[in-house]
């Protein structure tokens, strides 16, 4: 078997065409999810919205329907499988993508955007779960983080399409809507093509007792047997195997992952998706472009994900983001009168925020047992994004300075959670297998 394993290895690692297609399928899935999530902010400029509440509703529409998709798809993916769940979400993408083109009223935008967002919530949750189950141990961390970096690509694509469509046809809303719809459908074609070339999660099949099906899937897609597949993904041999492994209860796992997830979702969301429409309406797309552009560049830090401690990355990136947010609050009087200074601070903030976001999204998908990974990841995301949706209404009448101060408090909550995880949590980085991260080893 070892000779077979070595012949399949890439640079001594288990990476085949299946992993390449998986990376493409999941990366573009994140791209489309992010693209759709930002549509609410862009759509605020499509029609006259007569009240502050209706504008807040459109901004909150994204997290509200995202969490509905999350909480439905989490248990669904544990019951039906990861790949079957993708079939459902991609079908909804197609229907919603066509529908948004014909959404010539505020109400129709809400209807078809809810369909797209429901699918996006299911997509992202299932990708987070399946990545850790399907990627080899040596590449699991960086595959997860580099896939997550496609979220930033999605924001950039949305901002560019919106800006170019608006300027090319003199703010023609119909043309802008059409370009946004066509772009989403093109990405959907990539998803369909790539996902036809990847198997169901082998680990999920085995947990469900479907051993024969797991064997058949490995043979069909990888061209070798299940034992070889498992050997390629086995936990690394420890020099001192008698050393007891730290056990972390579900309560601590939920506290640390949920507080950090809330900080990242609300902290990034309020500064990127909410601040623009409320205080810099003519620069909403530009804010989205700068924030996601910086996050994309910083996201390549994920290449180090399999060589460094995940706990330290988790704590350091979140805490540094908190401190930078405090600085942004202190300097509000200066940057609120100088948009160039604002964008400089936005760049600095997102350099740290990006690493925090990538680490947090990786951790909350890897620390749960396989048979409940979809459900538990969904619960964390449902709570954190749901509370973020609430903050949009809570801060509805806040001043600019008050909004940034509130954002600093949000990041403090996240930093506290990652500090507790640093002290009490299990190490899931530095080459650890998903069995070690989930404590199933």
């Amino acid at each position: 078997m070892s000779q077979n394993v070595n012949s399949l290895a890439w640079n001594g690692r288990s990476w085949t065409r299946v992993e390449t297609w998986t990376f493409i399928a999941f990366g573009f899935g994140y791209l489309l999810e992010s693209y759709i999530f930002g549509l609410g902010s862009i759509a605020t400029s499509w029609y006259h919205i007569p009240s502050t509440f209706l504008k807040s509703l459109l901004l909150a529409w994204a997290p509200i329907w995202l969490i509905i998709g999350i909480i439905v798809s989490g248990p669904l993916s544990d019951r039906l499988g990861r790949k079957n769940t993708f079939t459902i979400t991609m079908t909804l993408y197609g229907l919603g993508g066509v529908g948004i083109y014909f959404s010539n009223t505020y109400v129709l935008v809400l209807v078809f955007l809810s369909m797209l967002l429901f699918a996006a919530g299911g997509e992202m949750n299932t990708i987070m779960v399946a990545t850790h189950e399907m990627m080899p141990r040596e590449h699991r961390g960086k595959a997860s983080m580099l896939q997550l970096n496609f979220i930033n690509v999605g924001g950039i694509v949305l901002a560019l399409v919106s800006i170019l469509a608006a300027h090319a046809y003199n703010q023609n809303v119909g043309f802008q809507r059409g370009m946004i719809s066509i772009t989403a459908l093109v990405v959907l074609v990539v998803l369909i093509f790539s996902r036809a070339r990847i198997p169901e999660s082998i680990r999920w099949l085995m947990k469900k007792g479907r051993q024969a099906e797991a064997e058949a899937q490995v043979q069909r897609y990888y061209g070798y047997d299940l034992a070889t597949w498992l050997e390629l993904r086995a936990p690394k041999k420890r020099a001192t195997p008698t050393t007891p492994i730290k056990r972390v209860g579900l309560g601590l796992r939920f506290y640390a992952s949920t507080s950090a997830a809330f900080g990242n979702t609300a902290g990034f969301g309020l500064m990127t998706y909410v601040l623009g429409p409320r205080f810099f309406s003519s620069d909403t797309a530009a804010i989205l472009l700068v924030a996601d552009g910086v996050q994309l560049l910083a996201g390549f830090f994920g290449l180090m994900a399999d060589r460094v401690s995940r706990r330290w990355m988790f704590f350091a990136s979140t805490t540094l983001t908190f401190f930078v947010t405090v600085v942004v609050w202190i300097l509000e009087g200066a940057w609120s009168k100088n948009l160039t200074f604002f964008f400089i601070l936005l760049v600095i903030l997102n350099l740290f925020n990006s690493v925090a976001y990538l680490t947090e999204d990786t951790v909350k998908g890897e620390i749960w047992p396989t048979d409940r990974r979809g459900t538990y990841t969904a619960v964390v995301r449902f709570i954190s994004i749901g509370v973020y949706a609430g903050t949009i209404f809570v801060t509805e009448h806040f001043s600019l300075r008050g909004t940034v101060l509130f954002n600093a408090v949000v990041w403090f909550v996240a930093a506290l959670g990652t500090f507790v995880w640093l002290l009490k949590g299990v190490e899931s980085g530095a080459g650890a297998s998903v069995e070690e991260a989930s404590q199933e080893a």
Side-chain angles (χ1 to χ4, degrees), residues 235-248:
K236 59 186 176 183
K237 291 183 172 64
R238 297 181 177 276
T240 54
T242 56
T243 303
I245 298 174
K246 183 189 293 186
R247 308 302 297 178
V248 180

Side-chain angles (χ1 to χ4, degrees), residues 157-271:
V157 171
L158 175 62
L160 288 175
V161 169
S162 302
I163 292 170
L164 293 174
H167 284 81
Y169 277 74
N170 195 26
Q171 305 295 328
N172 184 302
V173 171
F175 180 77
Q176 189 181 43
R177 239 185 12 249
M179 286 295 294
I180 285 172
S181 176
I182 290 168
T183 305
L185 293 173
V186 168
V187 177
L188 177 59
V189 171
V190 176
L191 293 187
I192 294 170
F193 184 80
S194 57
R195 287 176 182 173
R197 286 157 175 75
I198 65 175
E200 176 58 271
S201 165
I202 306 303
R203 284 190 169 92
W204 178 82
L205 288 170
M206 293 178 66
K207 280 291 181 179
K208 291 296 180 180
R210 294 157 64 172
Q211 193 84 3
E213 192 174 344
E215 282 273 11
Q217 289 269 303
V218 171
Q219 187 64 50
R220 175 185 173 187
Y221 288 96
Y222 294 91
Y224 50 88
D225 57 39
L226 180 59
T228 302
W229 189 91
L230 291 171
E231 182 180 329
L232 285 164
R233 286 156 177 78
K236 59 186 176 183
K237 291 183 172 64
R238 297 181 177 276
T240 54
T242 56
T243 303
I245 298 174
K246 183 189 293 186
R247 308 302 297 178
V248 180
L250 285 177
L252 177 59
R253 285 188 252 184
F254 272 113
Y255 165 70
S257 57
T258 304
S259 59
F262 164 65
N264 275 280
T265 304
F268 178 75
L270 288 172
M271 291 295 289

Side-chain angles (χ1 to χ4, degrees), residues 117-136:
L117 288 161
F118 180 92
E123 278 275 312
M124 191 171 184
N125 200 78
T126 310
I127 292 170
M128 284 181 179
V129 167
T131 291
H132 296 294
E133 295 171 358
M134 297 175 70
M135 288 298 184

Side-chain angles (χ1 to χ4, degrees), residues 102-172:
F102 296 101
S103 299
N104 55 3
T105 66
Y106 174 86
V107 174
L108 283 176
V109 168
L110 291 181
V111 171
F112 286 105
L113 196 55
S114 65
M115 186 181 295
L116 287 167
L117 288 161
F118 180 92
E123 278 275 312
M124 191 171 184
N125 200 78
T126 310
I127 292 170
M128 284 181 179
V129 167
T131 291
H132 296 294
E133 295 171 358
M134 297 175 70
M135 288 298 184
R137 171 176 57 81
E138 295 90 343
H139 301 293
R140 185 173 61 80
K142 60 175 167 287
S144 174
M145 292 192 186
L146 291 177
Q147 285 169 186
L148 283 161
N149 211 20
F150 277 77
I151 291 173
N152 302 314
V153 179
I156 292 169
V157 171
L158 175 62
L160 288 175
V161 169
S162 302
I163 292 170
L164 293 174
H167 284 81
Y169 277 74
N170 195 26
Q171 305 295 328
N172 184 302

Side-chain angles (χ1 to χ4, degrees), residues 241-435:
T242 56
T243 303
I245 298 174
K246 183 189 293 186
R247 308 302 297 178
V248 180
L250 285 177
L252 177 59
R253 285 188 252 184
F254 272 113
Y255 165 70
S257 57
T258 304
S259 59
F262 164 65
N264 275 280
T265 304
F268 178 75
L270 288 172
M271 291 295 289
T272 306
Y273 298 117
V274 176
L275 204 70
R278 283 185 179 165
F279 302 104
F280 307 101
S281 57
S282 61
D283 297 293
T284 298
I287 290 171
L288 185 64
L289 181 61
V290 170
D292 281 304
V294 173
Q295 293 232 344
L296 174 63
L297 294 175
F300 286 101
F301 185 78
L303 288 167
M304 299 175 58
D306 294 303
R307 298 198 297 271
V308 299
S309 165
R310 193 99 78 235
R311 288 185 303 160
W312 273 104
M313 277 182 70
F314 204 23
F315 169 69
S317 58
T318 307
T319 304
L320 286 169
T321 306
F322 162 66
F323 282 120
V324 175
T325 307
V326 171
V327 172
V328 173
W329 171 67
I330 292 171
L331 298 176
E332 182 270 338
W335 59 258
S336 62
K337 299 179 181 65
N338 185 333
L339 205 58
T340 301
F341 187 34
F342 167 71
F343 279 114
I344 291 172
L345 291 174
L346 194 66
V347 167
I348 297 170
L349 177 64
N350 279 282
L351 285 172
F352 296 111
N353 189 351
S354 176
V355 180
Y357 182 75
L358 295 176
T359 310
E360 175 265 316
D361 264 358
T362 298
V363 169
K364 73 185 176 197
E366 67 187 349
I367 59 175
W368 311 110
T370 301
D371 58 344
R372 290 289 182 269
R373 183 171 283 118
T375 301
Y376 290 166
T377 303
V379 169
V380 171
R381 300 187 68 227
F382 181 86
I383 294 171
S384 59
I385 299 174
V387 177
Y388 161 56
T391 66
I392 294 175
F393 293 100
V394 168
T395 61
E396 186 174 278
H397 300 292
F398 280 21
S399 65
L400 178 58
R401 185 171 180 80
T403 302
V404 179
L405 177 60
F406 183 85
N407 207 34
V409 173
V410 165
W411 277 110
F412 176 76
V413 172
L416 188 61
T418 60
F419 178 66
V420 172
W421 189 254
L422 177 67
L423 297 179
K424 303 286 187 179
V426 66
E427 179 57 71
S428 56
S433 69
V434 70
E435 288 87 358

